[in-house]
Amino acid sequence: RLPPGLAQSLCAAAADILGKPAERVNVTVRSGLPMVLSGSAEPCAQLVVSSIGVVGTAEQNQRHSARFFDILTAQLGLGTERIVIRFYPLEPWQIGKNRTVMTFL
């Protein structure tokens, strides 16, 4: 029941919301996994956002959350009570790319 092109549209949205170039955004969509949210197995979604430098404060994540909820409710047809978002701040040395870590890119 996922809309076609969901991963691509989430990639573009995440880049815009987080202020990152699309080349630095990775999106994985997994459907069909058993999930219970708030005690209910009705359709739901979980978004995990990990990023360097832009998800480290409550104020940042409140802004990001509102925008991600707008995208997810529109794309998935779910109410906000059926979506949860988890934010994880990362350090540049925690992400490997091109045989090094982001610290050196």
Side-chain angles (χ1 to χ4, degrees), residues 1-14 27-29 71-72 75-76:
R1 299 190 326 169
L2 297 177
L6 177 63
Q8 193 64 38
S9 67
L10 284 177
C11 182
V27 173
T28 301
V29 175
I71 298 294
L72 293 171
Q75 290 278 325
L76 301 176

Side-chain angles (χ1 to χ4, degrees), residues 53-71:
V54 295
V55 297
T57 70
E59 292 76 20
Q60 287 173 316
N61 293 344
Q62 185 178 38
R63 288 189 302 273
H64 301 326
S65 182
R67 294 185 65 196
F68 277 120
F69 268 97
D70 289 345
I71 298 294

